[in-house]
Structure formats: structure tokens, C-alpha cells
Amino acid sequence: MSENTDSAANPAPEAKPEAINASCRLPVLFLFFSAAIWVVQASAVGVLGSLSMHMPGFLPDFPYLTYGRLEANAWVAFLFGFGGNAGLGLTLWMLSRLRGMKLARPGFVVAGAVLWNVGVTAAMVGITMGDQPGVPGYELPAYAGRVLFVGHALIAFSAVLTYFSRRHKQLYPSSWYLIASLVAFPWILGTAHWLLVENPVRGAAQIPAAHWAATSLQQVWLGSMGLAALIYFIPKIIQRELHSRQWAGFGFWMLLILGGWVNLNSGSPIPVWSIKLSQLASMLYIFVLLAVCWNLLQTAKGVPLIGSRDLTLKFMGVSFASWALVAFYTFGNSIVEWNNLLQFTYAATAMRHVFAWGFFAMAMFGAIYYVAPRLFGNEVDWACSGTYKWVFYLTGFGVAVVALAGMGFSYGHGYALQESVGADVLAKKALMPMRIAFLGELAFLAGSLIFLCSIACLLFRNCCGECNPMSLIRQCRTTESEGGAK
Amino acid sequence: MNKSPWIFLGVLFALSLSWWGMVYGPASQANNLSPELGAGDPLRPRVGLAKQGEQVYRENGCYYCHTRAAIGGTFGYEIQITQLGDDRQLNAEAVDRHGKYSEKSVFQKAYSYKAVAKAADALKAEQDKKPEERDEKKIQDANATLISAIGLSNDISRGAEEAVNLKAYGVSGVSFEKDLLAQLGLPAEMNANQARLIKEASFPVTDGSESWKDIEGTIQKLKDKAGAQYKLQPVAKEWPDVQKGAGRQSVSRDFLFDEHVMVGVRRFGPDLSNIGRNILFDKKNGEEVANNPEEQVIEDNNIYKHLYDPQWNGKSSHMPPFRYLFKERKLGENERVQSGEIEVEKEDSYRVAITPTAKAKALLEYMKSLRNDKPLQEAPLVRRKQASAK
Amino acid sequence: MSEEPKLSMNEHDEPVSGNAQMPVGVAVVLALLGYIGCTKVDELNANFASNVHFPFGSPIEVASLAPSEEQLVVMRGKALYAKNCMACHQANGGGSGVNPPLANSPYVLENSERLSAILLKGLGGPIEVLGKTYNGAMPAWESTLSDVQIAEVLTYIRQEWGNSASRITGEEVSKVSAKIQEQGQSQPWTEPELSEAFSAE
């Protein structure tokens, strides 16, 4: 608040919220709608994959539908399809609003978004045909990686221009996170693409590198975008100021420093020092947990989040709780016995689901519920907005089930792995948490279907007059020329 | 934190920390790893079918359910002294740390064997020379050692066993100098005896229950001070992966030539780090099946059948079947399989003849190449705990 | 949870951040935690060595596990034996058919120069070993194996199967090689030639 010295010279005038919303309409809605399609795809493919695990005789004659490929596809669809589209759309909107400026160069965003979706589609087709690079958590084939890189660069160009278009305002913590996610993504993608897919590093060095890429994509990239949404929407909707800028900064830097280190399996066949450093990082992750939780809890003191009347706030409440749970699990991984017990079980996968669906998707669903109708201005007609609460209940139920399966039922598998039991006992113990989590995955599928219908309903009801492609492009041109004139 | 450009730089710096630790550091270390094993063939990259199999493994995402990493467990060390050092006092001190194995008789006996064998060698060496070249000093020293060894031996335990051992060697009575020289003229016999004596002189110091902390002092003393030679053998205590068939834990060098390292993150199926040995070796007598082509075919077919129908033969596997890796043909009644085909009996009692495709063959070859039964300097093979009798 | 959430379209102000400070006590506790963690890593990092893997804990431990030079020589010799010699002399050193045994054989255990000479130039014709006459043809190895490798194989066969004779070094083999060169022996030895060139002992 006190540091706005360099900008007093010639502050650009602040744009009205309605004007900003209008400038974001086409690109952001395009991203949101793509996200809605991908999230259905991700959950459907995930369910299909789990089915082939529960009923081994299911679809055995199609190489394209084998568990390993479906599993990779599901995560690519979620991470890049849903995470990228929804996260980048929200990034653009939040950055414009926080800067008080119209979105710069929306044409670049549309071009980038098209490329991005082409890239994700190419990745899905590639994996189905057997092109996955063998890195769980980062399954992009080489060509898809290149396309995504360019797509992201185009979108990020617009975001960074918007960010720099005005200098006089205090930087709200959410914009730190958003900038971090924009900078981190090309780095992580570049490292994973170059050092794991195109030109793999030698031997065992791929193990920590792959872990770094997968963990950073999750903790740093998705994490930054999700936390930006939490830190933005919770104070905004309850109309209080964020408790502490200092706490926020502490949590932010700690997340960036530690995000890529944490959660390495203690049994990985790499030198002990890597594992010990990872355990240290997991331990220090309690800093991030404390900083974020303290800040948000103090901000929302006395206000029920999950029990609130506002649906966005409900979403944010569950999202926040899921994030805290995963952060606590990460901290737990610094305890060697805990890590030894749960490594190679369903626990890590379940926690990834909780992070992906409970934290990130919930934050995005909530944010989209808030943002999407406002992009149309006050005259919006969203008849089926009432169904949106089912997105909340279903996804929330799914997250609860998966979390329970992961944290409650993986121990049996963990203990069985530590004893010299036979393969059949082991198989039963390994399947137990997955069978329970399957219920959760079905709920994810149902929730994301409703989400898609809801978004589709919003889109088609409101742009019917102008929903032919030509008028959309014309509109895009006008907003762009207006942006350029300033 | 309102200065926009600094955020960019700060983010880059913060990310570079974990990048350095998880990507750059390990990569630069991995570049320095050598395939040389010190003895025997160096580690080699996969070639041919096995290399293609790596791709089949990857494209089907096998690593989502199988790991290729045998992990460590708890274990103890067995120290086997293979050659006693010359400094007797220090040897004794080192061995004395381990209460139950420092019974004087074991150690002293070993020592006296060694001394006798060594002195006999020296005497024989002198005897081999022409009379005028013989070194009287050396002969005297050797004799003195023999006297002290026998004297000592008699001091410590004058038991019948001891006497027999020494007699077998040809040392008895008081006029041993003359007797010995006379009897050393029998080379073959002497060598056999000597070999036995030296073998008996190598003996275990610990029983495989002590951890590194317990034996660290002993090792330092034996190696640096007493000049003894020893062998350390890790013995599994609670080491499930070794009990289930891995030779040792997997280490960095196991992945030296993997193009894409697929260690895996979950174990819904068994760990495959030593699956190659399971296929190539008979589980009962530990002999290589490859020496016996017929048995090798049976082993291979079992894997094929498992891939084709994991639930075959009532197995409780929950692996999805990989039927698309095979060409299948339903067999009529009394029809027999042709060569190259494998017969699988389905539950509802009809039979199928399957032919593995090139991909299935490559996958099998890749599985055979997954072995961690080769000792490395940084990871010797671990001895399994004896299965408790039930 | 009691009331139905409603879609509200009113715009909220952009959030701002407050200036609450982190309590000093908390900062101290966190710093302490970080310090403890770092000391722990300092203790357990195994000098950042690239060859120390769980469950081993230190470079000294791993160095102690590695076989000594003497053991390595025998191991290398064993590998060479398996590759070059095993077909005729068998894994147990017992020999087969026309190929004499190595276990307990005086030709292996006695005069090391004679043994080196046999490997360097090969051996043909009848030879009596342990009371039995063998009539095989052993090839010369000097072109296939280096002197050091020959020494390693010889050390292995002199210390395996109950044999227990002294180690042979590469230099010793080289010396023998030079000596044979002087003598002008180019064909494989026969038993009489061998006894003439090298004494039984």
C-alpha cells in the first residue's frame, strides 16, 4: 500500500468492472467451456480405467483401452485439459480485475487457447496409440509438449501485458501466485519435455527429475492457480481484507521453494541425499500449511465457509480444506515410517485426486460459478444455475470418499507390502482402497457432467443472438482494437 | 512486493532451488556413474528384442501398477574374516568386541592354523632352494613360529581335536623340526592340508544381527590397523523385497542404460526388479533354466499365458488381460496345437491356441532383462533370512 | 447448509490485503524447526555421495562393502574362466574327457612359471595328471588374453576348488613370456619339453 512510488507519475485510468468482464468474455468463456469438456473426459476416462482394474475381463481386446493408457489419459485430460484451460481462463480474468485493466490482446488468448486444446487432444490421441513417455504425472508425448508450450506462451503474453499495463496499484497476493504459475509452467514443461522426453537424462537421474516435474506441475502450477483463487474469492465475497500480507508472502515463497522437492518415495533407487533433502522439504512444508491456513482462517474468522449461503464460498471452503489435508499429508511424508508405509500404495494417488478434484477443481468450479455469468453482464439468463449445487455436493462427496479410501484403507496394503505375504493377499489389500474410491470417481463423473451441462446452458442461452462464429470474431476484433487504442 | 519485475526474478530464483536439487544435481552425478563392475562383465545396454520390449512396457503403461525398484529393509552384517592380519593383538581386540564370537578357542585356533600354515610355507620355500641358497634366519623364524603356535595351541586347549588337527598337518612331538622337514616332502598332501587349515582359519565374527553402528569400530580396526581381510555380508532381517525374490535393493546404476526410467510409483502388482531371474532360473534348485531348452519353453509359456489371461488356472491376479498381444484361435475338440502355438484352457472347458505377437515376445525379453541378482560394489547381494519352519 | 444457495449478481470490491505481522514467537519457532531439519539432513546426507543408497547410510559403510583388490582379482579371474576355460575344464575344475582336471593338480599348484608357460603357449600331447593320462590339445592364450588377465585366471584356479596356492601377478607372467621368447618356443608345449624347460618344482 505504501510502495506505489514508481507509478504515481502517470497512472492509467482504471477500467470499470463491466468493461473488464466484457473484454474477457470471448477468450475466458472459450477456455472455461473447453475446461468443462475436458473435465468430463478426465473423469469418464478415469472411471473406465478403474473399471478395467475392478473387472479384469473388461475390454481386453483393445490395446487403446488398457489400464495404463487410460490412467495416463485421465491425468493428461485433467491436468492440461481442465487444469490448463480453467486455470488460465481464471488467471486472465483475475489479473485484469486485480490490475483494473481490460484484458490486453484477447486475440492472442483465443489463438493460444485453440493451440492449447489441439495440443491436449494430440496428447490424448498419442497416448491412446502408445506414445506415452513413461513419466507418471507428466505424460505428454514430445509433439504435444511443443504445442502446449507455444499455446501457453500466447496466452501468457496477453496475461503479462495486462499485468504490466498499469503500475500504480498495490499488488494483491493473488497476482503473485498467478505470475508464479505463468512463469513456472514453461520452466517445468521445458524441463520435463527436454530432459525426460526429447533428450532423456542419463539413467537414474530421471527418477528425481520426473518426480520434480510431476510434483511441480501439481504443487506449484495447479497449486498457485488454486491458491490464487482461494485468496482472491474468500476475502472478496465475505468483504473483508485479507488478514496479513506478510503471512501471504511467507507462504508464497515457501511454496515456490519447497513445491518441487516434496513427497519423494523413501524407497526410490537414488542416492540417499536426494531422499533426505526431499524429507526435509516435506517437513518444512508445514510452513506453507501454517501460513496459508492461518491467513485464510483469520480472514474468515467467524464466517462459515462450507456452511455459507453463497455457493462460491462453499466451493472455496471445501477447496481450502482439501488443500490443507494434502499439505498435511505432504508434511507427514517427512516422517520416515509413514513414508515407508504408504509409498507404493493407493495413498499417493488418492491424495493426488484430493488435490486435483478437492482443491483445484472445487476452487475452479466455485470461481467459474462466480465469473462465468458476470462475463455476460447483468442481463444474464442462467436458468439451470440451480443444478450447479449438485456439482458441489457430488464432487464434495467424491473427494470425501477418495480421501477416506486413501488415508483410511491404504494402510492395509502398506502393511502387506512390508510383510512377506503372498501375491493373492497383496492383490486383495491393494484393491480394497481402490474399490471404495471407485464410488468417488463415479461421483466425480456425475459432478463434472452436471458442470458441463450447466456451463453449456449458460453459454447457449446467452449467446444465441450472437453465437454464430462470425459475430464472435467481430466482437473479438472490436475489443482488441479498443484495447490497442488505449 | 509491489515491484512487478522482481516477482518474476524471485519466482525464477525460488524455482531454481528445487530444480537444482532434483534435476541438475542428480543428473550431473548420474553422468559420472561408470558401468564397470571391477570384476566380470560391465553393465551393458539392452539390445534387440529386449530394447523393443522396453517400449511395449512403456506404451501400455505397465509402470502404473508395477514397480521396478526393490527397496531396502532392515538387515545385519555378518563379518567373515578371510585372512587374519599379522598383528595378533589387534585382531583379537577387534574380534573381542563381539561377545559371543570372541570365545578364545575359535580365534586362537584360527590363529594357530594360520601361523602353522604360514610357517610351513616359509619352510617349504626354503627347502625348495638349493642348500647353499637357503636362508638360515628364515628357517629359524619359521621354526620359532611353529613352536609358539603349537605351544600356544597346547596352552589354550590341549583338546583331542587340536592334537588331531596338528597331527594331520604333520606336526607332532618335540623333534618337529626334523620331522616336519621330512614330511614336507609330500607336496600334494601338504597342499590339501594347508588348504583345509587356511579355510578353517576364515571364520565368522558376527552372526548377521549387528548393524553398521555396531561393527564400524571392528571393521576399522581389522582393515586399517590389523591388516586382516574380511568380507561383509548383509543378512536380511525384515527385508520383504529380498524375501520375495529380489537379490538386493535397486540402486542408481541398475538404470544406467534405460532410455526411459520406469521405476513406477504404485505396487498394485508385484515388484518386477528381479523378475528376469524368476523366469530364467529354476526357483527350487537355483539352476539356470536356459541350459534346458524344454524347461525354458515351459517357463516362457507360463508368462505368455499369464499375459493372455491373468486369471488362468484360477489365479487370483487382478491384472487386466493383454489379449491383444496374442493371436488367438479357438480349438475344436481333439484338435491339437501347432508348433509355435500355446494351448490355454479356459474355465468353461474350451481350449484356445494362442500365438504371441512380436510385441509379446519383446515384452517377455524385456522382462527377462529385469534382474538385480548381480552384486555391485555399492550393493552386495543380500542373504535371505531362513524361512522359519512351520 | 439450511438455505438454498442463490445466484447473486452483485459485484464485490476487489480484495485488499491487511498488514497483520507475524508474531515474533512464531517466527522463532519456525526458524528453530528449520534449523533442526537442516542439522538432521547435515547428519544423514552421506556426504552427498552418488553411491550410497538406502538402507546403507554412509560412504565408509559402502566402501567397506566393496571387495578388496585381492577378492576382485579372483572375481575377475572367475569371469574370465567362465568365458574361456569352463567349456573344457568344467565349472568344478574337474576336467572332462581328454582335458585334465585343475583341482588339486600339481601343474596348477606347483611351479607358477610352468603354469604361466602352459597358458601362454598352449599344450599338446599326452600328459599325466593325478595318476591319469590325458591327450588333449590346449590352445595358446597369449594372443587372446593380456598378461594381467592370464595372471587373474591363474590366481583364480590356484585358489578355487580347495586349491590354495599363491597369487600370480601380471609382471610374473610377463617375465615368463620374455623367458619363453628367449628360448625360442613358438609351438604348444609337449610334456617332455615342459619338464625340460621348467623343473617339476
Side-chain angles (χ1 to χ4, degrees):
Chain A
M1 274 188 179
S2 53
E3 295 176 41
N4 40 12
T5 46
D6 64 328
S7 51
N10 189 12
E14 194 165 333
K16 286 215 170 68
E18 292 76 26
I20 299 173
N21 284 345
S23 77
C24 288
R25 187 176 302 153
L26 173 72
V28 172
L29 278 177
F30 180 74
L31 287 164
F32 283 170
F33 188 61
S34 323
I37 293 173
W38 284 119
V39 78
V40 173
Q41 177 113 350
S43 51
V45 170
V47 164
L48 218 57
S50 294
L51 262 185
S52 72
M53 198 56 127
H54 300 306
M55 308 192 301
F58 180 65
L59 300 172
D61 296 317
F62 303 102
Y64 317 115
L65 294 176
T66 194
Y67 178 76
R69 298 187 192 187
L70 292 175
E71 187 71 7
N73 260 339
W75 184 239
V76 162
F78 186 91
L79 184 67
F80 298 106
F82 175 69
N85 278 311
L88 284 170
L90 195 64
T91 300
L92 294 172
W93 183 81
M94 273 164 65
L95 270 182
S96 329
R97 289 294 290 258
L98 283 167
R99 281 314 218 177
M101 293 300 287
K102 284 190 196 165
L103 183 64
R105 304 263 170 203
F108 275 81
V109 179
V110 175
V114 170
L115 261 185
W116 180 277
N117 286 302
V118 166
V120 181
T121 314
M124 302 265 301
V125 173
I127 292 167
T128 307
M129 303 310 287
D131 249 354
Q132 51 178 307
V135 187
Y138 175 86
E139 287 98 347
L140 290 182
Y143 40 84
R146 282 182 220 130
V147 177
L148 284 197
F149 192 89
V150 178
H152 184 270
L154 289 174
I155 298 174
F157 175 67
S158 161
V160 171
L161 274 189
T162 313
Y163 174 77
F164 278 120
S165 58
R166 214 161 88 117
R167 288 168 184 268
H168 81 292
K169 224 180 163 192
Q170 181 205 40
L171 266 182
Y172 185 70
S174 282
S175 28
W176 312 336
Y177 280 104
L178 294 176
I179 289 302
S181 77
L182 287 174
V183 174
F185 182 76
W187 186 337
I188 302 166
L189 186 86
T191 299
H193 177 77
W194 186 248
L195 296 181
L196 293 170
V197 183
E198 289 262 334
N199 184 14
V201 286
R202 194 162 185 236
Q206 287 180 30
I207 300 165
H211 181 83
W212 181 84
T215 314
S216 301
L217 274 178
Q218 195 189 323
Q219 301 275 0
V220 177
W221 187 53
L222 284 192
S224 294
M225 295 191 295
L227 283 177
L230 284 184
I231 290 173
Y232 180 83
F233 282 102
I234 290 179
K236 183 180 176 99
I237 291 172
I238 62 178
Q239 293 177 342
R240 289 189 190 163
E241 64 176 23
L242 184 70
H243 173 63
S244 162
R245 196 174 172 75
Q246 201 182 36
W247 276 105
F250 179 62
F252 171 69
W253 291 117
M254 279 296 155
L255 173 72
L256 285 188
I257 292 171
L258 302 174
W261 292 93
V262 296
N263 281 351
L264 196 59
N265 278 345
S266 63
S268 303
I270 51 176
V272 278
W273 66 265
S274 299
I275 293 164
K276 291 295 164 201
L277 278 183
S278 173
Q279 280 167 357
L280 172 67
S282 297
M283 193 196 90
L284 297 183
Y285 205 72
I286 196 153
F287 292 1
V288 189
L289 176 67
L290 273 181
V292 173
C293 286
W294 178 254
N295 213 358
L296 286 178
L297 288 176
Q298 284 297 310
T299 306
K301 210 178 195 173
V303 180
L305 289 179
I306 303 179
S308 155
R309 284 184 59 196
D310 190 296
L311 190 53
T312 304
L313 216 49
K314 280 163 108 70
F315 272 115
M316 295 299 162
V318 174
S319 168
F320 176 38
S322 305
W323 183 86
L325 176 66
V326 177
F328 184 75
Y329 161 79
T330 303
F331 169 66
N333 266 339
S334 64
I335 302 161
V336 183
E337 289 76 14
W338 165 297
N339 192 337
N340 280 343
L341 183 64
L342 288 185
Q343 64 178 343
F344 302 136
T345 68
Y346 186 69
T349 317
M351 283 300 118
R352 194 175 81 170
H353 275 321
V354 172
F355 191 90
W357 290 93
F359 161 64
F360 184 76
M362 286 300 244
M364 291 300 130
F365 290 158
I368 290 173
Y369 180 72
Y370 185 93
V371 175
R374 279 172 178 76
L375 293 180
F376 287 106
N378 283 328
E379 303 299 306
V380 67
D381 165 23
W382 194 1
C384 49
S385 69
T387 56
Y388 208 90
K389 63 176 183 293
W390 287 105
V391 179
F392 173 79
Y393 291 128
L394 283 168
T395 316
F397 168 76
V399 170
V401 170
V402 170
L404 183 76
M407 296 321 293
F409 289 88
S410 290
Y411 292 97
H413 187 198
Y415 283 119
L417 282 175
Q418 294 203 337
E419 288 157 16
S420 312
V421 299
D424 46 342
V425 180
L426 205 59
K428 276 196 195 101
K429 302 255 180 192
L431 267 191
M432 184 64 185
M434 286 186 75
R435 291 214 197 280
I436 298 170
F438 186 60
L439 259 184
E441 288 173 39
L442 284 176
F444 291 154
L445 177 60
S448 50
L449 271 173
I450 296 177
F451 172 68
L452 174 65
C453 296
S454 203
I455 289 293
C457 155
L458 174 72
L459 281 184
F460 293 125
R461 278 195 165 243
N462 289 286
C463 46
C464 254
E466 43 181 340
C467 76
N468 70 71
M470 284 319 289
S471 75
L472 281 175
I473 291 168
R474 216 176 307 128
Q475 183 197 346
C476 160
R477 284 243 179 83
T478 30
T479 29
E480 196 176 331
S481 60
E482 278 171 25
K486 296 278 152 144
Chain B
M1 298 223 300
N2 283 326
K3 303 275 171 75
S4 322
W6 291 109
I7 294 274
F8 283 86
L9 289 180
V11 169
L12 285 177
F13 174 72
L15 271 179
S16 71
L17 288 177
S18 64
W19 189 85
W20 171 83
M22 295 284 275
V23 181
Y24 177 75
S28 60
Q29 276 196 344
N31 279 339
N32 294 332
L33 290 181
S34 146
E36 293 298 329
L37 292 182
D41 286 341
L43 301 168
R44 285 182 206 288
R46 284 189 192 88
V47 288
L49 264 187
K51 175 97 185 145
Q52 294 164 25
E54 189 179 347
Q55 203 200 322
V56 179
Y57 190 83
R58 176 156 61 87
E59 70 183 27
N60 288 305
C62 302
Y63 53 89
Y64 281 101
C65 297
H66 294 281
T67 58
R68 261 192 62 197
I71 55 177
T74 57
F75 67 100
Y77 279 114
E78 190 184 278
I79 311 177
Q80 174 91 17
I81 292 189
T82 54
Q83 204 179 315
L84 277 166
D86 292 327
D87 190 330
R88 194 178 156 154
Q89 188 61 32
L90 278 170
N91 275 316
E93 272 175 32
V95 174
D96 260 347
R97 285 165 165 265
H98 306 273
K100 41 195 156 164
Y101 290 91
S102 68
E103 290 156 37
K104 286 270 191 304
S105 61
V106 176
F107 180 70
Q108 302 289 23
K109 201 159 96 182
Y111 222 95
S112 58
Y113 288 158
K114 176 184 155 73
V116 169
K118 205 172 162 191
D121 264 349
L123 275 176
K124 193 167 162 319
E126 293 304 314
Q127 193 202 24
D128 286 349
K129 294 175 183 166
K130 289 170 193 143
E132 60 271 21
E133 284 175 0
R134 282 184 191 155
D135 187 342
E136 284 304 318
K137 177 86 174 45
K138 276 191 186 164
I139 296 178
Q140 275 174 15
D141 283 351
N143 280 335
T145 313
L146 284 171
I147 293 170
S148 77
I150 293 162
L152 171 99
S153 166
N154 289 345
D155 275 351
I156 300 301
S157 63
R158 202 180 267 274
E161 193 195 345
E162 198 76 5
V164 169
N165 281 334
L166 288 172
K167 201 168 180 184
Y169 189 77
V171 184
S172 60
V174 260
S175 60
F176 56 88
E177 185 185 354
K178 217 161 145 196
D179 287 352
L180 194 64
L181 284 173
Q183 289 176 47
L184 286 177
L186 300 167
E189 192 190 336
M190 189 209 75
N191 274 309
N193 282 324
Q194 214 173 344
R196 190 173 59 76
L197 286 176
I198 287 179
K199 223 163 215 167
E200 281 173 22
S202 67
F203 58 100
V205 179
T206 60
D207 66 347
S209 60
E210 278 95 339
S211 70
W212 172 250
K213 276 213 179 96
D214 304 328
I215 63 157
E216 195 175 0
T218 309
I219 287 297
Q220 266 174 4
K221 219 164 213 165
L222 282 176
K223 183 162 70 174
D224 302 338
K225 299 197 178 134
Q229 284 198 25
Y230 62 89
K231 214 177 143 220
L232 279 186
Q233 173 65 56
V235 182
K237 278 185 198 161
E238 289 298 325
W239 198 326
D241 282 0
V242 164
Q243 294 297 345
K244 284 177 201 162
R248 52 175 169 77
Q249 81 272 36
S250 300
V251 298
S252 305
R253 283 209 289 171
D254 288 329
F255 305 94
L256 205 53
F257 294 111
D258 284 22
E259 193 182 346
H260 293 278
V261 176
M262 294 169 283
V263 284
V265 286
R266 297 184 300 221
R267 280 191 183 170
F268 293 160
D271 179 57
L272 299 183
S273 56
N274 206 14
I275 187 77
R277 194 183 171 85
N278 273 351
I279 304 174
L280 291 169
F281 284 77
D282 196 319
K283 272 130 251 158
K284 283 189 199 100
N285 55 19
E287 271 177 25
E288 213 165 338
V289 190
N291 293 337
N292 183 344
E294 277 173 28
E295 247 181 77
Q296 183 62 66
V297 169
I298 294 175
E299 285 288 323
D300 288 0
N301 287 356
N302 279 343
I303 299 288
Y304 285 139
K305 285 181 198 169
H306 184 65
L307 284 171
Y308 174 77
D309 184 3
Q311 290 75 35
W312 166 76
N313 217 354
K315 280 181 191 158
S316 66
S317 168
H318 61 283
M319 180 167 90
F322 290 86
R323 256 179 243 169
Y324 54 85
L325 292 176
F326 300 89
K327 284 197 200 92
E328 48 189 334
R329 183 168 72 87
K330 202 171 164 180
L331 283 177
E333 230 168 288
N334 301 330
E335 194 182 347
R336 305 186 73 185
V337 289
Q338 293 159 6
S339 74
E341 285 184 334
I342 304 157
E343 182 181 325
V344 184
E345 253 179 68
K346 306 291 286 185
E347 285 153 17
D348 23 2
S349 74
Y350 70 89
R351 298 172 308 140
V352 179
I354 57 171
T355 323
T357 60
K359 280 194 173 178
K361 283 179 186 156
L363 186 59
L364 178 70
E365 216 46 49
Y366 174 69
M367 284 167 76
K368 283 182 185 168
S369 76
L370 300 181
R371 290 169 66 172
N372 71 354
D373 55 351
K374 207 172 198 179
L376 303 177
Q377 282 109 316
E378 68 268 30
L381 294 182
V382 180
R383 188 189 298 157
R384 270 167 224 181
K385 195 171 59 176
Q386 294 302 318
S388 53
K390 271 185 185 171
Chain C
M1 287 263 210
S2 51
E3 290 175 62
E4 281 282 294
K6 287 254 158 40
L7 177 67
S8 71
M9 287 296 290
N10 55 327
E11 276 289 348
H12 304 90
D13 291 335
E14 296 305 320
V16 289
S17 47
N19 280 324
Q21 300 287 309
M22 185 190 287
V24 179
V26 175
V28 169
V29 169
L30 292 185
L32 205 64
L33 196 65
Y35 176 75
I36 293 171
C38 290
T39 50
K40 199 84 183 146
V41 168
D42 193 42
E43 180 190 327
L44 297 173
N45 65 23
N47 294 357
F48 292 94
S50 61
N51 63 348
V52 182
H53 295 77
F54 182 76
F56 305 135
S58 69
I60 304 175
E61 182 178 3
V62 171
S64 306
L65 288 167
S68 64
E69 188 49 38
E70 279 87 353
Q71 287 162 346
L72 277 178
V73 166
V74 175
M75 282 158 72
R76 283 196 287 263
K78 187 175 179 179
L80 286 168
Y81 181 85
K83 203 166 152 193
N84 299 310
C85 323
M86 200 135 90
C88 298
H89 293 289
Q90 300 303 307
N92 62 5
S96 64
V98 296
N99 308 304
L102 304 178
N104 252 334
S105 158
Y107 283 93
V108 172
L109 294 168
E110 289 163 12
N111 195 337
S112 66
E113 291 191 359
R114 182 176 65 185
L115 182 59
S116 308
I118 296 177
L119 245 80
L120 285 165
K121 287 292 172 197
L123 183 69
I127 184 167
E128 191 189 316
V129 181
L130 296 178
K132 222 181 135 190
T133 305
Y134 298 86
N135 193 355
M138 169 153 160
W141 290 100
E142 60 180 350
S143 53
T144 324
L145 300 177
S146 71
D147 288 350
V148 174
Q149 283 176 319
I150 288 179
E152 284 165 359
V153 172
L154 293 182
T155 304
Y156 168 70
I157 62 171
R158 275 161 77 92
Q159 299 191 350
E160 187 70 14
W161 317 300
N163 288 355
S164 166
S166 61
R167 199 183 145 178
I168 296 177
T169 63
E171 287 105 65
E172 284 169 20
V173 177
S174 303
K175 247 183 240 169
V176 177
S177 178
K179 193 170 156 190
I180 300 172
Q181 209 75 39
E182 267 173 41
Q183 290 174 352
Q185 177 81 20
S186 58
Q187 294 303 307
W189 301 97
T190 56
E191 203 273 325
E193 284 172 354
L194 204 58
S195 338
E196 192 190 326
F198 300 92
S199 69
E201 284 303 308

